[in-house]
Amino acid sequence: MFPQAGLTDRRKFLFAAASVAGVAGSSAFAQAAEQKAPPGAFHFDVPADPTKEQGRAVAADGGYGSRSQFETEVRWRYPTPNDLTSWSMTPLDKMLGNLTPSGLHFERHHGGIPTIDPAKHSLIIHGMVDTPKKFSINDLKRLPSVTRKHFIECSGNGLTEWNKPTMKTVQGTHGLLSTSEWTGVQFATLAREIGLKEGSAWVLAEGADAAVMTRSVPMEKMLKDALIAYGQNGEALRPEQGYPLRLLLPGYEGNTHIKWLRRLEISDKPFMTREETSKYTDLLGDGKARQFSLDMDAKSVITFPSGDMKLPGAGFYNIQGFAWSGRGRIQSVDVSVDGGKTWYPARLDSVPEPICTVRFSFPWVWDGKPAVLQSRCTDETGYVQPTLKQLIAIRGSNGPFGSIYHLNAIQSWAVNEAGDVANVHA
Ligand SMILES: Nc1nc2c(c(=O)[nH]1)N[C@H]1C(S)=C(S)[C@@H](COP(=O)(O)O)O[C@H]1N2
Ligand SMILES: [Mo]
């Protein structure tokens, strides 16, 4: 693949091996060694040999693990006027699997991060029910639970990108997306405990943060797969993800996944809260607004190579990315290296799970000429990820950035002759 580099490296290894053995390492000797080496022989250069001293001492109490000091990736905070309303984005290009490490899960806060003592927290369910009830965290943990892997994506993911390419990196264009394994009680289980009154059709979910975030959720969705989650990736939710309790609505826009959940009110109609009237609606081309656009449509993005990276030269690259759909499993992903003229099937790197990110890859030999990389996914409903032009034709461009929410168009990354990768609209 890189024949030139391969040869130089091999010489270096052989020379180092000769020096380590304590033999005066003249280049003549190295050359002789190379000639004498049996076919297929290889040597390793071990610069700092960790086997020569004992390792770091283990914490007396066993401790809580931390990542290697050499792993330094963090989220990127979109500049906001204060520290209470914020967007912190996941470095998608650094991810090594489908799950997002809890410490790198994206964060979206409207009123800061409350500190909640789980011993004092409870979830109240009332309204059109037979028996209103208050559940402590322990009450909830006694009930049967389920564990599922799901992504959460903010419907504002990519909101700056409608009119023109704005963010430099994939962390900036797509980083309001993360995947965790969630554990909790199904709302359906709680519904049997309280009994739903005839005609109950909507549920108001309310958070215990200073924003008192509230959203109305169709009862059909609540009974289908809503989770009252207390677990994330095998441990309690992170405070930033809603500790000790959050609503998880698989495939729905991130805003509806109410964090620090304290109240569910059952009703026969939606509550028309701020977040579903003035915010989180889509202003269409004809001036009408699309309301309760809750399902996140299929989307994919190439994370390597992606914006602001530099390819060292022509040759082999394993194109990689993520695909996901709020409506089920990803069925297939296609990749184009010529801006969408020709498409090739990509490989899915694991078995796709419903409403969960899946990694894809595509072997690409770059000829050193300008290229435009794109990915396009299809989900199990047959829905195909649209181009930006197709999406704008449907949604119009009446919003402050063209539109705002639910941008799921194909992303383009241009590679120039120098190997610089940039965010473009193609
Ligand atoms: N109580 C409460 N819930 C909330 C929010 C909030 O500010 N307060 N933000 C919402 C938004 S807009 C999104 S995208 C998701 C983000 O979840 P995360 O911070 O765990 O990634 O939480 C939602 N739930
Ligand atoms: Mo959001």
Side-chain angles (χ1 to χ4, degrees), residues 65-192:
S66 57
R67 64 182 172 176
S68 161
Q69 65 191 99
F70 303 106
E71 298 298 322
T72 53
E73 62 271 19
V74 290
R75 286 157 302 185
W76 175 71
R77 176 86 193 275
Y78 184 84
T80 50
N82 63 57
D83 292 338
L84 301 176
T85 178
S86 70
W87 291 265
S88 307
M89 308 190 180
T90 294
L92 293 176
D93 54 308
K94 306 279 174 33
M95 297 295 97
L96 301 177
N98 294 325
L99 294 178
T100 311
S102 302
L104 291 173
H105 196 286
F106 89 87
E107 294 178 27
R108 171 70 179 110
H109 307 298
H110 291 72
I113 304 154
T115 304
I116 298 179
D117 178 348
K120 293 181 185 139
H121 190 75
S122 55
L123 172 67
I124 292 164
I125 311 186
H126 68 123
M128 289 177 66
V129 299
D130 296 334
T131 330
K133 271 193 180 160
K134 188 167 139 179
F135 297 89
S136 70
I137 303 297
N138 282 339
D139 292 340
L140 292 171
K141 284 187 172 165
R142 284 183 58 189
L143 293 168
S145 68
V146 297
T147 294
R148 292 182 187 143
K149 286 175 211 140
H150 291 302
F151 71 83
I152 299 180
E153 183 183 16
C154 177
S155 52
N157 201 16
L159 66 85
T160 57
E161 304 298 307
W162 283 93
N163 276 338
K164 55 177 174 30
T166 304
M167 297 290 165
K168 282 206 154 99
T169 66
V170 69
Q171 186 170 13
T173 57
H174 289 74
L176 296 176
L177 165 81
S178 300
T179 299
S180 286
E181 185 191 79
W182 306 97
T183 294
V185 184
Q186 286 177 284
F187 174 77
T189 304
L190 300 180
R192 280 192 286 275

Side-chain angles (χ1 to χ4, degrees), residues 7 10-11 14 28-38:
L7 267 184
R10 186 154 174 268
R11 279 218 186 87
L14 287 165
F29 177 84
Q31 265 165 25
E34 187 175 20
Q35 275 152 20
K36 268 185 214 149

Side-chain angles (χ1 to χ4, degrees), residues 47-59:
D49 187 348
T51 66
K52 299 302 178 209
E53 55 182 86
Q54 298 296 340
R56 171 167 57 82
V58 176

Side-chain angles (χ1 to χ4, degrees), residues 128-380:
M128 289 177 66
V129 299
D130 296 334
T131 330
K133 271 193 180 160
K134 188 167 139 179
F135 297 89
S136 70
I137 303 297
N138 282 339
D139 292 340
L140 292 171
K141 284 187 172 165
R142 284 183 58 189
L143 293 168
S145 68
V146 297
T147 294
R148 292 182 187 143
K149 286 175 211 140
H150 291 302
F151 71 83
I152 299 180
E153 183 183 16
C154 177
S155 52
N157 201 16
L159 66 85
T160 57
E161 304 298 307
W162 283 93
N163 276 338
K164 55 177 174 30
T166 304
M167 297 290 165
K168 282 206 154 99
T169 66
V170 69
Q171 186 170 13
T173 57
H174 289 74
L176 296 176
L177 165 81
S178 300
T179 299
S180 286
E181 185 191 79
W182 306 97
T183 294
V185 184
Q186 286 177 284
F187 174 77
T189 304
L190 300 180
R192 280 192 286 275
E193 293 270 313
I194 53 171
L196 300 172
K197 280 235 161 41
E198 175 117 20
S200 58
W202 288 82
V203 180
L204 179 82
E206 180 184 83
D209 54 336
V212 199
M213 181 73 45
T214 42
R215 286 296 302 257
S216 312
V217 185
M219 179 61 85
E220 199 189 344
K221 175 68 176 175
M222 291 296 287
L223 291 175
K224 188 181 163 207
D225 58 1
L227 258 192
I228 313 300
Y230 48 74
Q232 178 185 8
N233 295 331
E235 60 184 349
L237 296 178
R238 287 285 156 112
E240 299 81 4
Q241 261 72 60
Y243 182 87
L245 223 52
R246 97 174 293 163
L247 181 60
L248 204 91
L249 295 172
Y252 266 26
E253 63 179 354
N255 185 258
T256 61
H257 299 232
I258 299 296
K259 304 190 275 190
W260 313 291
L261 183 69
R262 71 171 183 188
R263 190 166 75 89
L264 295 173
E265 183 177 344
I266 319 294
S267 172
D268 54 355
K269 47 185 168 312
F271 289 74
M272 300 298 172
T273 71
R274 170 185 179 268
E275 313 303 324
E276 57 211 21
T277 50
S278 98
K279 308 286 172 190
Y280 299 98
T281 58
D282 303 310
L283 185 57
L284 302 177
D286 62 4
K288 287 193 178 157
R290 190 172 77 139
Q291 214 185 350
F292 298 112
S293 43
L294 299 167
D295 287 299
M296 298 300 286
D297 284 319
K299 188 167 171 182
S300 71
V301 67
I302 291 173
T303 55
F304 176 82
S306 59
D308 226 20
M309 293 181 181
K310 192 175 175 72
L311 302 184
F316 174 80
Y317 293 96
N318 190 39
I319 292 178
Q320 292 169 65
F322 282 113
W324 63 100
S325 167
R327 297 184 193 269
R329 289 181 181 81
I330 285 296
Q331 185 169 295
S332 60
V333 180
D334 299 311
V335 163
S336 174
V337 296
D338 59 8
K341 283 189 211 90
T342 325
W343 292 96
Y344 303 96
R347 184 183 81 157
L348 298 183
D349 293 351
S350 65
V351 177
E353 294 180 53
I355 314 184
C356 186
T357 41
V358 64
R359 292 182 71 85
F360 66 84
S361 56
F362 177 76
W364 178 47
V365 180
W366 181 40
D367 58 9
K369 297 196 185 106
V372 174
L373 313 183
Q374 297 182 336
S375 66
R376 176 184 74 185
C377 66
T378 303
D379 71 14
E380 66 178 316

